[in-house]
Amino acid sequence: MNLEELANSFKNLYNKKFKSLDKRVTSVINAAKDEQSIYINKLNLNEIKVVATTILDIETQKLHSELEELLAKKEQLQRALDRKSHELQEAKYSVFNSIETLVDKEDLQTLAKLHQVKLQTIDLFDLLSETVESAIITALEKSKDSEANETIKELIKELTYQTIKEGTLNTIRVRKILSTILHSAIDIAEATPNISEDILEATLKGMRAGLLHSIDRFKERLAFIPLEAKHILIEDYDTIMEDLNQTDTLFLQVVQTQANESSQSTRKILIELNKKMHYDLEELVHISKEAAQVMKDRFSVLAKTAANKADTALKSDTAKEAKRMGIQAWGVAKSALGNAIKSAKSVMEPKE
């Protein structure tokens, strides 16, 4: 008996009248033995595979149909979610753009405040790459040479912080954000080789500061989050705890990975900067371990219980908005630096 005949035999002998799956399987095996002298213990590997696959196909046909139906619904729902998410973003853009038309273009202080609120409100992840490029280019075009590096550092810090804080603090997400930011900075650095090292160093310092700020904020929020909201953290407890204990490694790995994928000159710069960063990550390590301890103190028991129970085209609207956000990020960074410089001067200047 060939394999096709064997399969047909089991299809014909299969009796669905039994309510129990065990009885249905037992019935067809016994029927094959009694009626056609097919003994399961005498079949070779391929024949046993055909028998098992035939029974599985019969038993799971309805489930496969239901699964396909659900997958189709899931796809429709995902499209609807993406569409509504896009509409939500567009609504946010429209509100801020309308408010901006009512502000005098010369009123830089009010515009800077408005842009800062916009950065805090808009989901930056989808347009992060273009926003970073626009922000750095704007900083290079509008800042004096002596100010450009500090401006880039400040705006990268802000963009890193605003993007990370809107979602879960886990390795995959943070790595993607840092990699996206650094990759965009590398593109600009390679297009401006004379100042590439300055751009990359300012970017790395900004990334480090933004990551540190995000973890510090996470730690502060942990101290006050009510136990009723524990489910927000419990699902990712083990992952977050592990990630918090290796933030410095994560940071250095992101830089090394991007260095390996870049040109030889950029790779050399990044590797040198990465070596220096080893000595500049102590504060990041310290704040990460503090956050891990706070999380452990408040949620370790709850997490253990839960675990046991659980056993872009350049002319597109997105690109245009990213360019606007980049310019606005530069404005926010410049404003922050200006205020810092004024504060420093007021402390240093002697009072009359």
Side-chain angles (χ1 to χ4, degrees), residues 41 142 150 219 282 319:
N41 61 324
K142 298 190 177 183
E150 283 301 315
K219 185 194 76 173
E282 288 184 8

Side-chain angles (χ1 to χ4, degrees), residues 6 9-11 13-15 18 21-41 43 47-48 50-52 54-55:
L6 181 63
S9 294
F10 273 82
K11 286 178 185 177
L13 292 169
Y14 208 81
N15 193 339
F18 297 108
L21 184 148
D22 288 342
K23 287 184 178 180
R24 291 195 294 271
V25 174
T26 301
S27 170
V28 74
I29 297 293
N30 288 333
K33 179 180 66 176
D34 297 338
E35 297 178 29
Q36 297 190 11
S37 298
I38 300 173
Y39 297 88
I40 195 77
N41 61 324
L43 299 179
E47 289 169 338
I48 288 178
V50 166
V51 171
T54 302
I55 295 173

Side-chain angles (χ1 to χ4, degrees), residues 200-239:
L200 294 173
E201 185 171 11
T203 299
L204 293 183
K205 288 181 177 179
M207 284 164 52
R208 179 192 62 199
L211 180 58
L212 193 150
H213 189 19
S214 302
I215 295 170
D216 192 34
R217 175 181 180 271
F218 177 71
K219 185 194 76 173
E220 295 301 324
R221 287 167 65 88
L222 276 176
F224 299 102
I225 189 170
L227 293 181
E228 291 80 4
K230 61 184 180 295
H231 63 278
I232 297 170
L233 295 170
I234 298 311
E235 288 183 14
D236 293 326
Y237 175 83
D238 290 333
T239 302

Side-chain angles (χ1 to χ4, degrees), residues 72-105:
K73 288 179 181 177
K74 179 185 175 184
E75 192 175 331
Q76 290 176 349
L77 183 60
Q78 188 59 55
R79 285 200 297 267
L81 285 169
D82 291 341
R83 187 168 60 252
K84 288 300 176 185
S85 178
H86 179 71
E87 289 175 8
L88 177 60
Q89 286 284 83
E90 289 298 316
K92 290 178 180 179
Y93 297 150
S94 298
V95 168
F96 280 103
N97 292 343
S98 296
I99 296 173
E100 190 170 340
T101 60
L102 303 175
V103 179
D104 187 342
K105 288 187 177 4

Side-chain angles (χ1 to χ4, degrees), residues 61-268:
Q61 186 176 8
K62 184 181 177 183
L63 287 172
H64 275 298
S65 299
E66 291 173 349
L67 182 61
E68 285 178 9
E69 225 177 288
L70 288 171
L71 287 171
K73 288 179 181 177
K74 179 185 175 184
E75 192 175 331
Q76 290 176 349
L77 183 60
Q78 188 59 55
R79 285 200 297 267
L81 285 169
D82 291 341
R83 187 168 60 252
K84 288 300 176 185
S85 178
H86 179 71
E87 289 175 8
L88 177 60
Q89 286 284 83
E90 289 298 316
K92 290 178 180 179
Y93 297 150
S94 298
V95 168
F96 280 103
N97 292 343
S98 296
I99 296 173
E100 190 170 340
T101 60
L102 303 175
V103 179
D104 187 342
K105 288 187 177 4
E106 302 301 317
D107 187 355
L108 300 180
Q109 192 173 13
T110 301
L111 284 173
K113 291 174 185 175
L114 179 62
H115 293 161
Q116 186 166 7
V117 175
K118 183 177 180 180
L119 283 176
Q120 294 168 353
T121 307
I122 301 293
D123 183 2
L124 287 170
F125 194 80
D126 290 338
L127 59 163
L128 181 59
S129 178
E130 295 89 345
T131 301
V132 170
E133 286 190 15
S134 173
I136 294 177
I137 289 170
T138 304
L140 294 174
E141 289 176 347
K142 298 190 177 183
S143 303
K144 295 177 182 177
D145 291 342
S146 57
E147 296 176 357
N149 293 351
E150 283 301 315
T151 305
I152 291 172
K153 175 186 169 183
E154 186 66 28
L155 68 87
I156 294 296
K157 171 188 172 182
E158 185 69 13
L159 290 174
T160 302
Y161 169 66
Q162 294 297 343
T163 311
I164 290 176
K165 82 178 181 68
E166 291 305 321
T168 310
L169 191 71
N170 64 61
T171 298
I172 295 174
R173 185 171 179 276
V174 173
R175 185 188 298 276
K176 188 170 182 180
I177 290 170
L178 296 179
S179 296
T180 300
I181 291 171
L182 182 53
H183 183 77
S184 298
I186 288 170
D187 285 344
I188 298 171
E190 292 188 339
T192 52
N194 292 339
I195 53 171
S196 60
E197 186 169 351
D198 293 336
I199 293 172
L200 294 173
E201 185 171 11
T203 299
L204 293 183
K205 288 181 177 179
M207 284 164 52
R208 179 192 62 199
L211 180 58
L212 193 150
H213 189 19
S214 302
I215 295 170
D216 192 34
R217 175 181 180 271
F218 177 71
K219 185 194 76 173
E220 295 301 324
R221 287 167 65 88
L222 276 176
F224 299 102
I225 189 170
L227 293 181
E228 291 80 4
K230 61 184 180 295
H231 63 278
I232 297 170
L233 295 170
I234 298 311
E235 288 183 14
D236 293 326
Y237 175 83
D238 290 333
T239 302
I240 294 173
M241 283 294 291
E242 183 180 348
D243 295 344
L244 284 171
N245 283 300
Q246 56 178 12
T247 49
D248 56 330
T249 303
L250 165 66
F251 189 95
L252 295 170
Q253 283 178 348
V254 166
V255 180
Q256 185 64 56
T257 300
Q258 289 299 314
N260 293 340
E261 296 174 0
S262 302
S263 66
Q264 188 173 353
S265 57
T266 299
R267 182 173 181 275
K268 184 179 178 182

